[in-house]
Amino acid sequence: DPYLQHCVETAVLLAKIGANATVVSAGLLHDTIDDSFIDYDHIFHMFGAGVADLVEGVCAPSSLDLQS
């Protein structure tokens, strides 16, 4: 499944560059809020605030204006 492969490859890449377990876990879960039935609260209860906050941050629309 390409969806799962993408998530696993993201986590592996983060591990290879030396990211800690919280960041690697968030990398594995980074698309879950946008693409599944899993919400922030579920991630929070299963993995803690650190992982949940990172996942939510990746999923949240950016407030940066990238157009100049």
Side-chain angles (χ1 to χ4, degrees):
D1 183 352
Y3 172 81
L4 294 176
Q5 183 178 355
H6 166 71
C7 294
V8 170
E9 288 175 356
T10 300
V12 168
L13 177 62
L14 290 167
K16 284 183 177 181
I17 64 170
N20 65 31
T22 300
V23 173
V24 173
S25 299
L28 185 61
L29 298 168
H30 75 276
D31 281 340
T32 56
I33 292 175
D34 287 339
D35 297 339
S36 75
F37 61 90
I38 297 173
D39 61 8
Y40 174 89
D41 290 334
H42 186 79
I43 295 170
F44 178 88
H45 290 307
M46 296 295 294
F47 300 98
V51 172
D53 289 347
L54 286 171
V55 172
E56 184 179 53
V58 170
C59 294
S62 176
S63 62
L64 296 175
D65 181 8
L66 299 177
Q67 298 176 358
S68 300

